[in-house]
Amino acid sequence: MPTAVLTDHERTAVQAYLRLLHTVRAAFDGPPDGGRGGRPAVVPPTVLAEAEQALADAGLTGNEEAFFRLLQMWCPQP
């Protein structure tokens, strides 16, 4: 299995992406609007903003291919 040594900014971007991914999954796994019905699940804007800022800090904004390559090296599929 290949290993990657990420910079602090790259690691932060990967971690922010994973938090965003887990937040989205949790939002859609539960009942919409906390079970009250009517509204779809919403991802908190702060979580999305954190991921966007982390990508910008790592110089990966608009370069999804490079980012997902880093993600795959850091968190390989089983």
Side-chain angles (χ1 to χ4, degrees):
M1 168 172 57
T3 59
V5 177
L6 293 115
T7 68
D8 288 341
H9 287 305
E10 291 169 339
R11 185 175 16 267
T12 299
V14 169
Q15 291 169 336
Y17 169 78
L18 292 174
R19 277 191 294 278
L20 175 61
L21 180 63
H22 293 307
T23 300
V24 169
R25 283 183 178 161
F28 285 104
D29 282 347
D33 198 26
R36 295 183 297 263
R39 292 178 42 203
V42 175
V43 175
T46 55
V47 176
L48 185 54
E50 175 193 23
E52 289 177 348
Q53 185 62 52
L55 286 172
D57 291 347
L60 294 166
T61 301
N63 195 347
E64 291 82 7
E65 184 177 340
F67 172 71
F68 284 111
R69 217 175 11 254
L70 285 174
L71 183 65
Q72 185 176 25
M73 286 188 293
W74 201 59
C75 302
Q77 294 287 328

